[in-house]
Amino acid sequence: MKAQSDGKISQLNTPYARQVSNEKVRNRQVHQRRCKRIVAVFFVVFLIFGIQIFQSKRTLADINGNIRQAQSQLTKQKQKNQQLQRQIKMLHNPDYIQQVIRSKYNYSKKGETIYNLN
């Protein structure tokens, strides 16, 4: 039986001491492997969630762009609708209708002569 001296503490070099030392080393290795696996699993989960968040943000940006485009189209259509409503209102006025008919279709009353100066 040989003893290793490390300062004041010495360790016996017996088969049992070697077995205990080997078990400690093996337990440490197992613990390190488990830690590495746990870290790898967390990294993969974090990566998956990160990709999902990125895709969600990109989809949200696309949808917001579509909403802005639809709102601009809606604004244009509302303006066109207002213009058409004004035109409808003007078409209820007999004087305006007579003016449109005279200018557009060269309509004249009896005895009138129309001269085109275009």
Side-chain angles (χ1 to χ4, degrees), residues 98-112:
Q98 187 178 15
Q99 180 186 357
V100 170
I101 290 173
R102 283 175 175 259
S103 65
K104 199 170 193 179
Y105 301 111
N106 293 329
Y107 179 76
S108 65
K109 292 182 179 179
K110 283 191 175 186
E112 283 184 337

Side-chain angles (χ1 to χ4, degrees), residues 11-93:
Q11 184 177 10
L12 297 176
N13 195 7
T14 62
Y16 177 74
R18 283 191 299 256
Q19 180 184 0
V20 169
S21 177
N22 288 340
E23 285 178 9
K24 284 184 182 180
V25 169
R26 185 177 179 284
N27 286 341
R28 187 176 296 122
Q29 290 172 348
V30 168
H31 181 69
Q32 287 176 349
R33 272 187 280 161
R34 284 181 187 163
C35 286
K36 288 178 183 177
R37 287 179 184 167
I38 290 172
V39 168
V41 167
F42 279 123
F43 179 74
V44 168
V45 169
F46 180 75
L47 185 66
I48 290 170
F49 285 144
I51 290 171
Q52 287 179 346
I53 289 171
F54 177 74
Q55 287 176 344
S56 297
K57 284 192 172 213
R58 196 174 74 207
T59 303
L60 180 63
D62 290 343
I63 290 172
N64 284 338
N66 291 343
I67 288 172
R68 280 191 297 274
Q69 184 180 11
Q71 285 176 340
S72 67
Q73 287 178 353
L74 177 64
T75 304
K76 289 178 185 176
Q77 291 299 324
K78 282 184 177 181
Q79 289 173 351
K80 186 175 180 181
N81 188 25
Q82 288 175 350
Q83 181 184 8
L84 290 173
Q85 290 296 330
R86 275 187 257 122
Q87 192 175 6
I88 288 172
K89 195 174 187 180
M90 289 172 62
L91 286 173
H92 288 301
N93 185 353

